[in-house]
Amino acid sequence: MSSFCPDVGGDLGGLFATNVPIILSATMISRFLLVPAVWSYAIVNYVVIVVGILGTYRLTRRFAVRHWIALGAAFAYCTSLSVFGLLGFGGMLYGALLLPTLAAIVGYTLDRLGHRSRWWVLGVAAWGLVLVSMLFADGYTFMMACLLTGSLVFFNSWGRWRRPSTWFSYVILFGVVAGSYVAYRSVVTNAGAWGEDSLDKFRAFGLDLSTLFVPSNQVWWAKLLGIGQDSSALWGDGSNSVYNMLGVLFVLLAIVGLICHARSVRREVVALAFAGTVALVFALGPALKFMTLFDPALSDAATSMPAGAGILELPTAVLFEKAPGFEYMRAIYRWVLVTRLAVVILAAICIETLLRRKRAGLAIVLAVLAVAEVSFNPVAVFNKNVENAQMIRSFDDDVTTPLAAALDTDERVIFVSGTAKSNDYLSVYLVPTINVRSWNIGNDKALRRARAGWSEEVDFLIARQPAGDELLDASLKTLTSGEADAIVVLDFDLRNSAKSWPPSESFIERGQEISDTYSADARFAVEEHEYFDVVTLSR
């Protein structure tokens, strides 16, 4: 299996290192069932959601709670803000949903080993299969899985050092992790070309503790009352602050559950609490923040936070510089996902405790209020999805269909929009849809790798703001050398316009200025369209 896509990114191709299980499964469904790619992708996601709910249910049942509480906890986690916030990240959503499933499998395997049952072999096989698929889907949740499963193995073995099964469980743990890594690197041989971010990025994207309890506009009642925290005022890009809320009530229930659990599940409770706590520390990043506002005097961008801008610099900074895997986890706040899983299950234990103590009314009220406190607005989400579907149809009518007609199959093109940023997400949608090849590419890690193979002219056209004679000279050299068959000038942005369509006037004006520059030079032929123009050499 190739680790890159040759149609995007240029000579080095687009890095094919994440979402692999989803892509392969969707491709097989599309080919064998003869359904559109969009449908097959949706089918895979629905299957993963169902597996995630069932896996979370099975994990919660291991903590001696009754069926309906476990089912409620499963839905509470799988529809939580942390998971909801990953809808735009297919591979990480896959991993987030399978994380509790993997924990349940590990628990099953450890039980079988302890009872000397031969079924431990089935557990190890499932453990390995799920873990390696999580790594190929997304590295973030693989790291989270290592923490969670390592905690389960460690606390299950504590005080049982003389048992052969104890040491065998460590052999399995390290063997499965190492095997997953070897399998990944045998396919993705170029992961080292991703590049690493500075600590300033980690500080910016680290968790602001206030976001655990102060609601954002993603929480239904905060949106309704107009009191949601303004994420744009904090460090980061917003995604690191709007989906973190654990809720005061949920956390209080979790603390009670940690104290009042059944003795028979104490080891797993402690393991879960330990993993959730450590994950919370990781999520903070290199700096402690609490309602720490972005200060333009300290940095030009909210996504780059210098040392000293937070309340306190934390000693964990060395992890993000030296520890394997951590150096690529720029969006470090996502570790809250493990904390949320721990909080939800511990809260479920609390509800079970109340029921056993004949406090059914109180248990039900607290459970409903806890879920309501941190829930998103499903009606708003549905309406937004409808709006997005309409936007995609409009984009296809305005751009995809006419662009396919304007270009020949398998032509190599460069999309130019005058944007100094080059993380061109929409190019990954356009290229396979209209059957061309492009130097442009989306995804920051894939971009870094692909950019190493770009000529100076290609890099200038894509990654800087082209204008004047420099634009014309770079374009002429690129077209005459055969690096590109055509240059497509866009009246929209390949990143921002993926979120909003039609494009803003500023994008349209910028594209028209570039097209006018080409039109004024007799060396180029410009074929004009409503939202793009195709530039080739004059014949």
Side-chain angles (χ1 to χ4, degrees), residues 43-83:
I43 290 171
V44 172
N45 279 280
Y46 287 134
V47 170
V48 173
I49 290 172
V50 171
V51 172
I53 291 173
L54 292 177
T56 312
Y57 166 81
R58 291 304 310 168
L59 176 62
T60 310
R61 283 283 292 155
R62 292 186 56 82
F63 292 86
V65 302
R66 57 199 72 191
H67 293 283
W68 67 268
I69 297 177
L71 189 60
F75 277 97
Y77 171 76
C78 292
T79 62
S80 66
L81 287 170
S82 295
V83 176

Side-chain angles (χ1 to χ4, degrees), residues 184-216:
Y184 182 78
R185 287 308 299 264
S186 67
V187 175
V188 186
T189 57
N190 42 34
W194 286 355
E196 300 169 11
D197 289 294
S198 67
L199 277 179
D200 290 356
K201 291 285 187 183
F202 283 91
R203 288 189 193 92
F205 283 89
L207 172 74
D208 188 304
L209 283 173
S210 67
T211 61
L212 295 177
F213 304 104
V214 180
S216 70

Side-chain angles (χ1 to χ4, degrees), residues 213 246-259 343 346-347 350 366 370 373:
F213 304 104
L246 296 179
V248 175
L249 193 51
F250 243 127
V251 172
L252 291 176
L253 292 176
I255 293 173
V256 174
L258 178 61
I259 297 171
V343 166
L346 291 174
C350 175
L366 289 176
E373 183 188 6

